[in-house]
Amino acid sequence: MASVTLRQVCKRYGSLEVIPGLDLQIEDREFVTLVGPSGCGKSTLLRMIAGLETISGGDAYIGDEKVNDTPPMHRDVAMVFQSYALYPHMTVADNMGFGLKLRRLAAQVIKEKIGTAAKTLNLSPYLARFPGQLSGGQRQRVAMGRAIVRNPRLFLFDEPLSNLDAQLRVQMRTEIKSLHRRLGSTSIYVTHDQIEAMTMADRIVVMNHGRIEQQGAPETLYDKPANMFVASFIGSPAMNFLKGVIADGQLRFENGSMLPLAEVAPPSLPATTGQAVVLGIRPERIDISFDHGGLAATIIEVEPTGLDTHVICDLAGQMVTVNQRHRFHATPGDRVYLRFDHEKLHCFDAEAGVALDM
Ligand SMILES: Nc1ncnc2c1ncn2[C@@H]1O[C@H](COP(=O)(O)OP(=O)(O)OP(=O)(O)O)[C@@H](O)[C@H]1O
Ligand SMILES: [Mg+2]
């Protein structure tokens, strides 16, 4: 088992600085998901921890051991890549067992470990096939199996489920979580899927441009986003933002229209007259009705998802999405009324994008 400590770790490609100096502490047995937009440095960070990429500066530790110069095979880390990197000339079973064979485990032990992993991953019927004879999703599961059989002290996952269909993805998500509970190996998991990030993690780390924007338990990031970047990244559909200037008990928008602050601002608004702010409200914290009163809005589009209905409205010239738990039938152009849950309103500084204290 192992913790991971990064101290001012940076990565440069020539003059291009991809990660400018990052501190991160991951505890032994913790499951951390790493999220952020494409190109923000997630894979680079994982590859540096795995030893597949050199560190341009700073220090990396696995447990108490400084691993800056430790070759990958001596780190006892298993990585599942975005691309599966399977050996094309080896069968599924051989691909999965290769690492164990190198470690000179008995053939019978290897066979058992492969058998167990294959069962978990629904790969039992394919053990004799070659990667070229598998679908993308099956290959991805073989790559996962190769990591699982090794029982390493640290798992690094780089979008391991991105090629699976939706159903298998949900199933694998649960499998990986149970696996983590059983094995207890420290895990760092990169994903684009914020539901995956939320459901699997003890802690989410949100990255942007090689920096950490915020880290914390999934609920903390959802409830108390430190800035607009995190607020818009966590939660789906994304948080609504109303950008305006505070004036005489109103929020005045650029187009001149106004909304009463009492309706759209938190009870203890941490901002003053003349200040440019962004008020944030999650789609699921808005109540919509035809007759309950509140802020008058016009329906733009209604999108049923089965369980929820996403209703997109025009509110004083701003587009606002409402996530309605009930079935909601309306026609574009209909007049509706919105009520914001005052306890769940967020307020950000319009310039810096940081959350104002509430
Ligand atoms: N060998 C390289 N030389 C120069 N730049 C590189 C190299 N490898 C990666 N980069 C750059 O480093 C940045 C981070 O890349 P990285 O692959 O870590 O992003 P990512 O967060 O994993 O993105 P994605 O979600 O698309 O996988 C990108 O801007 C990329 O173009
Ligand atoms: Mg990547």
Side-chain angles (χ1 to χ4, degrees):
M1 300 298 141
S3 59
V4 174
T5 308
L6 305 179
R7 292 211 185 108
Q8 284 301 302
V9 160
C10 64
K11 182 67 192 176
R12 285 183 291 270
Y13 293 106
S15 61
L16 178 71
E17 192 173 55
V18 177
I19 295 177
L22 183 138
D23 290 309
L24 181 62
Q25 173 71 39
I26 293 166
E27 304 304 332
D28 185 27
R29 308 179 80 90
E30 200 177 7
F31 197 112
V32 169
T33 54
L34 210 53
V35 297
S38 183
C40 74
K42 305 177 297 292
S43 297
T44 306
L45 195 65
L46 277 201
R47 291 173 60 80
M48 288 196 290
I49 297 170
L52 300 169
E53 201 74 72
T54 55
I55 293 174
S56 314
D59 291 316
Y61 296 83
I62 299 179
D64 299 329
E65 185 196 347
K66 185 164 151 183
V67 294
N68 288 29
D69 303 314
T70 310
M73 64 177 298
H74 293 144
R75 294 193 185 197
D76 191 17
V77 167
M79 182 153 171
V80 183
F81 296 92
Q82 221 164 349
S83 62
Y84 337 109
L86 301 175
Y87 297 110
H89 59 284
M90 285 187 196
T91 63
V92 167
D94 288 344
N95 261 290
M96 281 167 70
F98 188 64
L100 304 178
K101 210 165 157 189
L102 284 184
R103 283 172 181 72
R104 298 184 204 290
L105 263 69
Q108 187 55 34
V109 176
I110 297 180
K111 201 173 162 202
E112 277 166 22
K113 282 179 183 284
I114 293 173
T116 311
K119 212 178 270 172
T120 304
L121 297 162
N122 287 334
L123 282 174
S124 305
Y126 309 107
L127 286 174
R129 286 209 203 167
F130 291 92
Q133 301 168 316
L134 298 175
S135 74
Q138 290 162 342
R139 279 179 226 171
Q140 202 159 31
R141 280 180 282 150
V142 177
M144 186 80 89
R146 189 175 49 183
I148 290 173
V149 294
R150 281 186 42 203
N151 198 7
R153 60 177 172 167
L154 176 62
F155 275 116
L156 302 175
F157 297 102
D158 196 347
E159 300 189 43
L161 308 184
S162 51
N163 283 318
L164 305 186
D165 65 52
Q167 203 176 353
L168 198 53
R169 220 180 148 113
V170 172
Q171 190 185 328
M172 286 296 299
R173 189 168 87 196
T174 311
E175 272 311 329
I176 295 174
K177 208 172 165 178
S178 318
L179 189 78
H180 175 254
R181 205 179 7 259
R182 279 203 309 278
L183 302 179
S185 311
T186 312
S187 303
I188 311 176
Y189 189 105
V190 169
T191 177
H192 267 122
D193 181 334
Q194 58 107 16
I195 299 294
E196 231 168 79
M198 295 287 281
T199 52
M200 296 175 94
D202 297 317
R203 181 155 56 108
I204 301 181
V205 174
V206 183
M207 281 180 72
N208 191 18
H209 298 304
R211 290 189 172 80
I212 295 177
E213 291 277 351
Q214 191 177 3
Q215 50 179 309
E219 294 89 348
T220 309
L221 265 59
Y222 178 86
D223 291 338
K224 295 241 169 247
N227 52 48
M228 287 173 64
F229 182 84
V230 175
S232 60
F233 209 85
I234 301 288
S236 176
M239 186 185 283
N240 294 296
F241 293 128
L242 302 173
K243 185 178 176 192
V245 175
I246 295 178
D248 303 327
Q250 309 266 335
L251 181 66
R252 194 179 60 228
F253 297 128
E254 222 164 35
N255 70 358
S257 51
M258 312 240 205
L259 288 177
L261 274 180
E263 298 284 341
V264 297
S268 55
L269 181 69
T272 51
T273 299
Q275 193 171 348
V277 295
V278 175
L279 297 175
I281 181 83
R282 293 201 181 276
E284 52 276 26
R285 302 299 184 192
I286 306 175
D287 181 54
I288 186 169
S289 74
F290 285 106
D291 47 16
H292 293 176
L295 300 160
T298 311
I299 299 276
I300 297 175
E301 214 54 79
V302 180
E303 302 173 343
T305 71
L307 176 63
D308 299 333
T309 309
H310 302 164
V311 188
I312 297 115
C313 312
D314 180 315
L315 173 65
Q318 314 278 310
M319 193 139 101
V320 169
T321 302
V322 181
N323 189 2
Q324 188 70 9
R325 255 294 118 98
H326 320 287
R327 297 284 155 97
F328 187 81
H329 300 284
T331 312
D334 281 356
R335 166 57 56 103
V336 286
Y337 295 94
L338 308 182
R339 277 187 196 279
F340 293 0
D341 179 350
H342 284 215
E343 299 305 314
K344 305 292 181 188
L345 277 155
H346 302 260
C347 186
F348 304 94
D349 181 85
E351 292 271 305
V354 296
L356 297 167
D357 250 278
M358 282 185 256

